[in-house]
Amino acid sequence: QKEVEQNSGPLSVPEGAIASLNCTYSDRGSQSFFWYRQYSGKSPELIMSIYSNGDKEDGRFTAQLNKASQYVSLLIRDSQPSDSATYLCAVLDSSASKIIFGSGTRLSIRP
Amino acid sequence: GAGVSQSPSNKVTEKGKDVELRCDPISGHTALYWYRQSLGQGLEFLIYFQGNSAPDKSGLPSDRFSAERTGGSVSTLTIQRTQQEDSAVYLCASSLANTDTQYFGPGTRLTVL
């Protein structure tokens, strides 16, 4: 059973600080990784995708991938109350047949 | 262009009735996914269509659930003899190919009384 694991939270971070969200996956052959954000009562929307080891930055967001450790993370700098949401990690399995989602981490930014 | 659309947005039904949920993917997207999300829970994969290949039905929870995709576009998820535990938001997503970003529809909130 291929799995994607996330801490359910809630993770509480003060406004302006860095929020760090983590995800581990079991399928060593996975090649594509995604972070989605889901506001309460809304559908998930893509924040970032990452395919290579290392860091990928987009504005206040940085995705980090370490395939050897089977670990992917999302950093949010200068956290804002509007960042409060559930963040879903998703991994394309090694057979490239489908994307598997983690259960999500609930992030709360406190003013 | 238009995003993924789903209908109805809300559906209330009585236990034992059949329901049909519809998904219109983004034009040209060959991959289509159905997920279920119960309140406060993560996404539960149900079924996946990719082009003309046989669908991956490995996530369907029981034989009361079925889905089809006609002409490689619109998809219908059917739940027969609904049960109260079927109450959830049913989300549809589409992507250009199975390896690409998924774009989600607004979901259908199903309530079984």
Side-chain angles (χ1 to χ4, degrees), chain A residues 40-82:
Chain A
S40 181
K42 301 295 185 182
S43 297
E45 56 181 344
L46 182 76
I47 299 176
M48 292 189 71
S49 56
I50 185 166
Y51 307 97
S52 304
N53 275 329
D55 295 0
K56 179 181 178 183
E57 187 175 318
D58 184 0
R60 295 187 296 113
F61 298 94
T62 298
Q64 298 176 318
L65 176 61
N66 183 325
K67 292 183 181 179
S69 300
Q70 296 175 237
Y71 178 94
V72 57
S73 64
L74 180 70
L75 302 179
I76 307 175
R77 289 183 300 282
D78 187 25
S79 297
Q80 303 296 310
S82 59

Side-chain angles (χ1 to χ4, degrees), chain A residues 25-41:
Chain A
Y25 58 94
S26 62
D27 185 353
R28 182 170 290 278
S30 298
Q31 296 294 323
S32 302
F33 307 86
F34 307 86
W35 281 101
Y36 286 79
R37 177 177 63 200
Q38 186 176 25
Y39 291 115
S40 181

Side-chain angles (χ1 to χ4, degrees), chain A residues 32 34 36 38 41-46 49 51 88 92 95-99 101-103, chain B residues 33 35 37 41-43 45 48 56 58 91 98-107 109:
Chain A
S32 302
F34 307 86
Y36 286 79
Q38 186 176 25
K42 301 295 185 182
S43 297
E45 56 181 344
L46 182 76
S49 56
Y51 307 97
L88 301 166
L92 178 67
S95 64
S97 62
K98 66 174 180 274
I99 292 177
F101 280 84
S103 57
Chain B
Y33 297 74
Y35 297 93
Q37 189 171 37
Q41 302 299 310
L43 295 176
F45 166 77
Y48 155 61
D56 179 346
S58 59
L91 289 163
N98 63 328
T99 59
D100 288 332
T101 301
Q102 293 185 26
Y103 295 87
F104 284 82
R109 181 174 299 279

